[in-house]
């Protein structure tokens, strides 16, 4: 079965044609690869392709989004299943805000600069979060209305947790 | 005789201190906040005491709690590490009052060196070069112009009541002197209601070079040569090396003598660091003294073959320094990089989280001082430094190659780290040549940005790995029942791993 | 110019060689057997080639398969590591025929040094001291007695056709000479149908001391001082150190000269080791030459500040040796211990298996050369050595303390290792004093046995840990559904771990 | 609930009296302990007892038998549940052979010296197994009859796998 994959924003199709133990044959768009792939440690794959040795580390962000590190590079990869396809079709990809503000890392809410119903301008800071002795400001990209504030100042938050909903 | 030491710190430095204790047959006591119960320093120590909630101002910075733990554990001495209470004179005083040795200098030395103006005056009278400039604020415009002529251009004019860059003027040309002074004065008056200014020599191409000193309680003091710390990002050191690539034997000897004089001027006892600002012509000026162990102390340890923590402990114990200046030598070249839990490609955003997997660099000439382990959650409350990688080689060139090799093998997943950024620094031409100053990072942005990936093959390899992982997890979710063997060897491997990890 | 090297080995030595390649900008190629697909050397290399089934005689020892991989990968040179094909003259010849540089000496040097009798004669003619004794078998009883008088007591009489100790006689007293010779002869005749015997000086209290040499292809040769390797168990080295605690400057210089003479006698090129047997009075005799890198080479690297693998590669590449004998120095003291996957408390039974968890020792003065990682399954087909721990300190005393500290922090679970045994060696009084010979392990059994646990508290702590683990697993089995928070924090932790490890 | 535990052959009773987060109160025979216990890595526990820091590593041999390593010592510990109690009650603890021969580690069968029905004497070697370039001989303790040979020469075996059944 063929899937779609998004790598650093570019979409390609991917399909496993054959598998024999560690050896798989893969088709990406029109490029065919035969390679030997083993998960050597949790989230770490060793790949031999044309006898070259690649070490690939996966950091799953959720069950279909990965940060993938090779020796000198880092990629954001999304495996697109039916659900993602549906969501993508609804999302206008015009550099707009997501439907909520969140932080990539855990931290503590230092200051919330908006409240429910506020109209904010693109570039306005809405929340300040601190982690590891450093404070970071989170802004909206476009003019928005604050739909709901889900956290309070002083709260400890997880990474990628919705903090403020936007309309 | 010191038999038991409390280490009033956490992270890599707590463990580093405990290692030397262990080698000396000294018992070590850890203290820990609520966030640090599973931290390595608690596991490494012989004893451990809880000292309060996660935020450091409720635990590691609370003098009473530390003293309390020290009394309960009946230690002979406290080692403060760096940061936290290490340069807190009140803490040193408290220890003394409680009859506990503080492994560091006296409160007097800390106070004197802790105040910039006092330190500057003390150093001047001890014959240590300071940045030419005024110590007292100037209000008279003619006096300001006269002073500028004495110091020589370029100079920086600073509002004496100021801060944050307001009222600051850089003067590089003779004809701008008068106008700059008067505009600085009026801006200062407007901003702070006070038109007094300081004038200071401006160092165009500054290098940050520091000297390590060791002084005992019997008046003996030696220096252990310099460390070059000019690779900084937002005034935070990122890479340090020794010897400095711009140093000459003559200037080294002069600066070393001044460093010793500086320490003696405050009756210093313990390990300390004299920071200098140095220009391209190797004119050097005292900046400040750090009255504690530095993060970057391991490069000195490697090149001079001295265990600085052991020396600190012996000095605190009243021993006479055995090191003689004329027997100390620099052998080869050492470089340290600091590994932070941060995302260098996303504005150095901190990246706390759980270490999923770690492969530490090993082998010839590599020292690694860290504290994290697989499954450890890096707390969001403290400094994001997770380890220090130190390499040594006979030559600077080889040391750089070794550092690249060590960074190649150093893998941490689960969080983002500064490893890729550090690797890029090792490739910056001015770093490779050893001709750099504190502007190196802002001057070399083009080298320090992540490289665009051109290889389609590499992208495809990354995609395949993610895809295989996705499928194998999908498979696992579907089947709690045994999966058929046929054609799922890599899943086998995954499953075997899970089995062994339960 | 060598740009690409195939490493015909596995385990820690393969990675150690690749590290130096990487620092030199040389591409590295791994070869692997069926059992080694997930081994670290495959992951570390730039390229990797499959060379056959798990048993080494079907993979790592098959010359054709290695040469085949070398041709496919178009390497310039092959590094054999130690063991496997490293002392195989036929392999060196094959490489030469295929136009691939063999990183090691010529087949001639290997063959000469590989045959004990030939080597002995060669060394004698080069003026190197050999163990006094006969080279030709003796059948005449009077000649035997005469020879014994020449050599001086004690001597060992050995059946020339013999082996396995049969027909061997140790003679320590004058009056036993005749009877010993005749009984050895008749036992030899009875056992092997040949009554010829060899006679050799018996070294009562033998030390195994070896000298590292480096020789280039242009006739330059230096020695890099000695390594003391007397801590052996069943003729396997367990602990090595340098300098030797029994060495004097004079004897060191003499032995070093003989080591260089030995290497020159066979036109040696590359890194090699001259092994000597040394008695308590520092009389020393050539034993054999190892024509390859030794397992224990890192202690020399640390104390002499030389990267031996880089030197090997440069020599193979035809470069002139840059090291000068009179510039080489020993600085401080280094000790290496070998960590084996074996159970020291159960007759050193091998212990292959899956590494569940590993914490590597870090910090000042510690080098660790290993290859295993969490989740890696140590194959049962190869040598049980999993890593080498090397420490350095200014003094021997401090080095021993540092080794104990490093062993304290070195944790491997999932398999049994020799770590507890090594720790006990560091406590053996004769080791601590530096007065020991090759009998140290059998002579100190009482120190080397596991200590009886007297502390009831410690036993109870162990019981509690096992019990808590048992209960928490039981809980986990019962409930796939979320467990209630109340009172199961340690299980929480367990579950969190499992989550993050999936 | 109270359990029995066998440590290096000595049996004791053990019971968890109270638990509050990481802190537990345990009774072993008549010795009461209050301690703080956390599993810091898989199979590695950090214990604080009277402020002393203990690191304990567990190597489970099966779900109730552990090899437990503390800093300088190693213990064999068995948690005794109903099943073990039953088995123990049937087993005469007189240094006799188990009901089968097995090896503690994985390896390869080099030589089998007996066949079904053979009568062997105490001390006789019945099988030779190699692992890591070393061969080990396995002997019976007492006189026995060979009930069944479960493996063949050249077989690869796992640790603790039954190789030869004894009567």
């Amino acid at each position: 079965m063929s899937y779609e994959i998004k790598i650093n924003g570019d979409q390609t199709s991917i399909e496993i044609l054959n598998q024999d133990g560690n050896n798989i044959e893969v088709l990406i768009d029109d490029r065919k690869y035969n390679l030997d792939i083993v998960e050597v440690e949790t989230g770490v794959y060793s790949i031999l392709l044309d006898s070259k040795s690649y070490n690939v580390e996966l950091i799953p962000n959720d069950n279909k989004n990965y940060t993938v590190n090779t020796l000198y590079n880092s990629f954001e990869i999304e495996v697109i299943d039916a659900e993602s396809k549906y969501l993508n079709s609804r999302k206008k990809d015009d550099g707009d805000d997501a439907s909520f503000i969140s932080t990539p890392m855990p931290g503590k809410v230092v200051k919330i600069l908006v409240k429910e119903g506020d109209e904010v301008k693109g570039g306005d800071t809405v929340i300040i979060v601190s982690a590891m002795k450093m404070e970071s400001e989170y802004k909206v990209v476009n003019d928005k209305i604050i739909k709901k504030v889900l956290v309070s100042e002083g709260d400890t938050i997880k990474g990628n947790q919705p903090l403020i909903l936007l309309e | 005789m010191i038999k038991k030491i409390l280490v009033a710190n956490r992270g890599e430095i707590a463990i580093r201190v405990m290692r030397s204790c262990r080698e000396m047959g000294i018992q070590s006591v850890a203290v820990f906040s609520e966030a640090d119960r599973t931290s390595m320093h608690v596991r490494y120590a012989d004893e451990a005491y809880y000292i309060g909630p996660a935020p450091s101002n409720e635990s590691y910075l609370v003098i009473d709690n530390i003293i309390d733990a020290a009394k309960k554990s009946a230690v002979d001495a406290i080692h403060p590490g760096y940061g936290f209470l290490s340069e807190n004179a009140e803490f040193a005083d408290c220890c003394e009052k409680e009859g506990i040795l503080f492994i560091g200098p006296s409160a007097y030395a800390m106070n004197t060196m802790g105040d910039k103006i006092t330190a500057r005056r003390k150093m001047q009278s001890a014959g240590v070069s300071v940045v030419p400039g005024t110590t007292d604020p100037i209000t008279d415009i003619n006096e300001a112009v006269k002073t500028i002529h004495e110091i020589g251009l370029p100079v920086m004019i600073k509002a004496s009541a100021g801060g944050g860059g307001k009222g600051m003027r850089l003067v590089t040309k003779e004809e701008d002197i008068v106008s700059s002074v008067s505009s600085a004065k009026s801006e200062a008056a407007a901003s702070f209601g006070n038109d007094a200014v300081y004038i200071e020599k401006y160092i165009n191409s500054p290098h940050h070079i520091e000297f390590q000193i060791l002084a005992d309680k019997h008046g003996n003091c030696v220096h252990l040569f310099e460390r070059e710390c000019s690779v900084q990002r937002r005034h935070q050191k990122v890479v340090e090396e020794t010897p400095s690539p711009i140093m000459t034997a003559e200037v080294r000897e002069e600066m070393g003598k001044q460093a010793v004089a500086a320490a003696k001027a405050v009756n210093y006892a313990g390990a300390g660091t004299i920071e200098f600002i140095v220009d391209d012509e190797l004119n050097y000026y005292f900046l400040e003294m750090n009255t504690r162990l530095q993060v970057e102390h391991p490069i000195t340890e490697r090149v001079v073959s001295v265990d600085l923590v052991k020396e600190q402990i012996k000095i605190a114990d009243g021993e006479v320094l055995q090191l003689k200046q004329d027997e100390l030598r620099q052998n080869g070249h050492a470089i340290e990089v600091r590994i932070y839990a941060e995302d260098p490609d996303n504005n150095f955003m901190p990246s706390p989280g759980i270490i999923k997997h770690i492969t530490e660099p090993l082998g010839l000439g590599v020292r690694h001082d860290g504290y994290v382990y697989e499954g450890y959650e890096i707390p969001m409350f403290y400094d994001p430094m997770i380890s220090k990688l130190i390499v040594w080689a006979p030559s600077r060139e080889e040391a750089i190659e070794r550092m690249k090799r060590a960074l190649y093998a150093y893998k941490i997943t689960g969080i983002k780290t500064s490893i890729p950024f550090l690797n890029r620094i090792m490739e910056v031409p001015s770093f490779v040549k050893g001709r750099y100053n504190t502007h190196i990072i802002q001057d070399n942005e083009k080298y320090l940005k992540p490289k665009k990936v051109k290889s389609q093959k590499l992208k495809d390899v990354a995609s395949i790995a993610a895809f295989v992982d996705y499928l194998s997890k999908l498979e696992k979710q579907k089947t709690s029942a045994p999966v058929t063997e046929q054609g799922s060897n890599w899943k086998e491997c995954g499953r075997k791993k899970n089995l062994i990890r339960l």
Side-chain angles (χ1 to χ4, degrees), chain A, chain B:
Chain A
M1 195 173 67
S2 166
Y3 280 74
E4 307 273 282
I5 259 192
K6 207 179 243 178
I7 172 163
N8 288 356
D10 300 334
Q11 195 152 327
T12 56
S13 75
I14 187 166
E15 184 176 4
I16 294 187
L17 301 176
N18 275 300
Q19 187 188 346
D20 175 17
N22 298 332
N23 295 296
I24 59 173
E25 190 179 34
V26 190
L27 187 70
I28 301 188
D29 287 346
D30 55 355
R31 300 178 297 280
K32 198 185 275 185
Y33 296 100
N34 278 289
L35 45 82
D36 173 343
I37 178 165
V38 186
E39 187 181 19
V40 284
E41 304 183 59
T42 313
V44 181
Y45 284 82
S46 165
I47 293 171
L48 299 182
L49 169 59
D50 303 336
S51 291
K52 295 267 179 304
S53 177
Y54 296 87
N55 294 283
V56 181
E57 307 165 354
L58 303 184
I59 308 168
N61 302 318
D62 57 43
N63 60 356
K64 52 202 172 199
N65 279 282
Y66 292 93
T67 303
V68 179
N69 294 328
T70 59
L71 183 48
Y72 297 114
N73 298 102
S74 192
F75 304 92
E76 295 301 322
I77 293 180
E78 183 188 356
V79 179
I80 299 173
D81 57 10
E83 187 194 355
S84 314
K85 267 189 188 148
Y86 174 72
L87 288 174
N88 283 342
S89 70
R90 283 170 47 110
K91 198 166 80 183
K92 287 171 298 169
D93 201 7
D94 58 356
D96 195 3
D97 297 283
S99 59
F100 56 83
I101 299 282
S102 71
T103 63
M105 77 285 179
K108 197 171 179 169
V109 177
V110 174
K111 207 164 176 57
I112 298 172
L113 300 156
V114 294
K115 57 179 195 303
E116 204 174 309
D118 279 4
E119 293 180 25
V120 290
K121 292 217 174 313
D124 278 4
T125 298
V126 294
I127 190 166
I128 302 174
V129 171
S130 93
M132 294 180 158
K133 308 201 298 190
M134 184 171 151
E135 297 192 350
S136 310
E137 302 186 346
Y138 292 84
K139 302 170 198 290
V140 289
V141 178
N142 294 314
D143 296 1
K144 287 283 159 183
I145 296 169
I146 304 298
K147 196 167 161 187
K148 203 167 175 64
V149 177
L150 303 166
V151 289
S152 309
E153 292 178 5
D155 280 5
T156 298
I157 55 167
K158 285 179 285 195
N160 300 312
Q161 173 186 337
L163 306 175
I164 293 174
L165 300 185
L166 305 174
E167 283 216 5
Chain B
M1 255 289 279
I2 295 176
K3 293 201 167 131
K4 200 174 189 182
I5 291 175
L6 181 145
V7 182
N9 217 304
R10 64 178 303 283
E12 69 86 18
I13 191 62
I15 298 166
R16 191 262 165 272
V17 172
M18 290 177 193
R19 285 192 183 111
S20 285
C21 289
R22 186 158 284 273
E23 290 180 15
M24 297 172 87
I26 294 171
Q27 295 270 306
S28 56
V29 177
V31 290
F32 64 98
S33 76
E34 215 167 282
D36 273 342
R37 170 62 185 88
T38 61
S39 196
M40 189 56 97
H41 73 287
V42 176
R43 299 169 56 190
Y44 194 94
D46 295 299
E47 296 178 27
Y49 293 82
Y50 172 76
I51 48 159
S56 29
N57 58 6
E58 299 175 47
S59 49
Y60 297 103
L61 290 172
V62 182
I63 293 177
D64 287 348
N65 295 5
I66 307 271
I67 297 284
D68 196 43
K71 285 176 170 172
K72 273 194 215 145
S73 54
V75 295
D76 306 302
I78 294 183
H79 194 299
Y82 53 69
F84 292 139
L85 296 171
S86 62
E87 295 184 280
N88 185 312
E90 190 195 338
F91 182 54
D93 261 345
C94 273
C95 291
E96 205 195 324
K97 270 182 212 124
E98 298 289 347
I100 302 164
L101 279 168
F102 175 79
I103 301 178
S106 65
Y108 161 74
M110 277 194 231
N111 281 330
T112 309
M113 286 304 193
D115 181 71
K116 289 223 168 195
I117 302 284
T118 317
R120 183 183 167 91
R121 288 198 178 120
K122 196 85 187 174
M123 291 304 103
Q124 276 180 305
S125 66
V128 177
S129 348
V130 296
V131 180
T134 51
T135 316
D136 297 312
I138 301 178
T139 45
D140 182 69
I141 194 155
N142 292 324
E143 200 193 328
V145 173
K146 197 181 130 220
T147 306
I148 292 174
H149 280 119
E150 280 167 20
I151 294 172
L153 290 178
V155 299
M156 185 66 87
I157 309 172
K158 296 178 181 176
S160 72
K166 268 193 181 147
M168 267 170 68
R169 280 286 180 291
L170 172 63
V171 192
T172 54
K173 288 185 212 143
E174 183 67 33
E175 61 262 38
D176 294 341
I177 295 180
V178 178
S179 64
S180 295
V181 171
S182 56
S183 69
K185 280 171 68 67
S186 52
E187 197 174 314
S191 298
F192 312 108
N194 177 349
D195 71 347
V197 293
Y198 287 107
I199 294 158
E200 216 177 67
K201 178 91 186 165
Y202 176 74
I203 314 292
N204 224 327
S205 168
H207 302 260
H208 174 124
I209 296 179
E210 59 185 30
F211 272 68
Q212 176 70 52
I213 64 100
L214 279 173
D216 67 16
K217 292 176 178 173
H218 311 279
N220 303 300
C221 181
V222 296
H223 71 86
L224 291 89
F225 311 102
E226 81 279 12
R227 290 185 288 259
E228 168 71 63
C229 306
S230 299
V231 182
Q232 304 187 350
R233 200 183 67 82
R234 297 192 193 161
H235 304 289
Q236 285 284 341
K237 295 167 191 165
V238 178
V239 178
E240 304 96 354
E241 61 178 317
T242 183
S244 165
I246 62 165
M247 190 55 69
T248 66
E250 295 71 37
V251 176
R252 176 178 293 125
E253 201 183 328
E254 271 180 41
M255 289 177 77
K257 277 183 187 154
Q258 292 215 354
V260 169
K264 285 192 165 174
V266 292
N267 299 321
Y268 200 85
T273 295
I274 315 290
E275 294 192 352
F276 293 94
I277 185 166
V278 182
D279 68 17
D280 280 343
E281 283 73 44
L282 293 184
N283 296 305
Y284 56 89
Y285 311 102
F286 172 86
L287 260 188
E288 60 173 330
M289 179 169 193
N290 294 313
T291 57
R292 50 161 169 90
L293 201 65
Q294 300 277 89
V295 176
E296 59 272 23
H297 75 276
I299 54 174
T300 297
E301 292 189 319
R302 185 59 178 84
V303 161
V304 189
S305 292
V306 169
D307 183 328
L308 287 170
V309 172
K310 283 187 186 166
E311 295 299 328
Q312 284 187 302
I313 294 170
K314 289 193 275 184
I315 289 168
D317 218 355
E319 288 189 29
V320 174
L321 198 61
Q322 296 299 309
L323 303 168
K324 308 278 169 239
Q325 192 66 60
D326 55 7
E327 291 169 8
L328 292 171
R329 295 277 176 283
Q330 290 171 297
N331 170 32
H333 198 95
I335 305 176
E336 174 184 282
V337 297
R338 303 181 182 194
I339 318 286
Y340 287 99
E342 63 186 15
D343 184 356
D345 301 338
N346 185 13
N347 199 27
F348 296 89
M349 184 87 79
S351 178
I354 295 170
I355 305 285
K356 256 187 76 174
H357 158 258
I358 182 165
T359 305
E360 286 165 311
L362 303 174
L364 176 58
V366 175
R367 169 177 174 184
H368 184 225
D369 273 34
Y371 79 106
V372 305
Y373 55 86
E374 286 193 16
Y376 177 67
E377 180 164 6
I378 299 182
M380 61 179 197
F381 301 97
Y382 314 111
D383 189 276
M385 194 176 78
I386 51 181
S387 77
K388 306 181 307 201
L389 189 54
I390 302 103
V391 300
W392 177 91
S395 68
R396 184 173 189 273
E397 200 183 349
E398 200 175 343
I400 294 174
E401 290 307 318
R402 187 156 289 163
M403 180 59 84
K404 288 198 273 187
R405 182 267 285 177
L407 289 169
Y408 165 76
Y410 196 175
K411 312 274 180 202
I412 303 179
T413 61
I415 56 162
K416 309 233 176 182
T417 72
S418 52
I419 294 174
F421 181 70
L422 295 167
N423 206 47
R424 282 174 230 142
I425 290 177
M426 295 297 128
E427 312 263 11
V428 168
S430 60
F431 182 80
V432 173
K433 271 180 260 159
R435 311 310 303 178
Y436 63 88
N437 56 43
T438 55
H439 306 311
I440 179 170
I441 289 192
Q442 66 253 44
D443 288 354
N444 287 281
E445 277 185 359
K446 65 170 171 170
Y447 294 105
L448 295 171
K449 274 194 197 134
K451 289 181 189 79
K452 255 288 186 212
V453 188
K454 297 210 187 78
S455 158
Q456 184 63 52
K457 205 179 192 181
L458 188 63
K459 278 192 205 170
D460 287 348
V461 163
S463 299
I464 291 167
F467 186 53
V468 165
D469 193 74
Y470 169 82
L471 285 184
S472 104
K473 277 192 192 144
L474 210 65
E475 192 79 358
K476 232 179 285 164
Q477 284 174 1
K478 276 193 219 155
T479 51
S480 336
V483 180
T484 51
E485 273 305 298
Q486 187 257 345
S488 23
N489 225 23
W490 87 75
K491 282 168 235 143
E492 256 298 289
C493 176
R495 254 182 286 129
K496 196 169 75 184
K497 285 203 175 294
N498 292 338
L499 270 181
I500 61 148
R501 281 165 185 277
L502 284 177

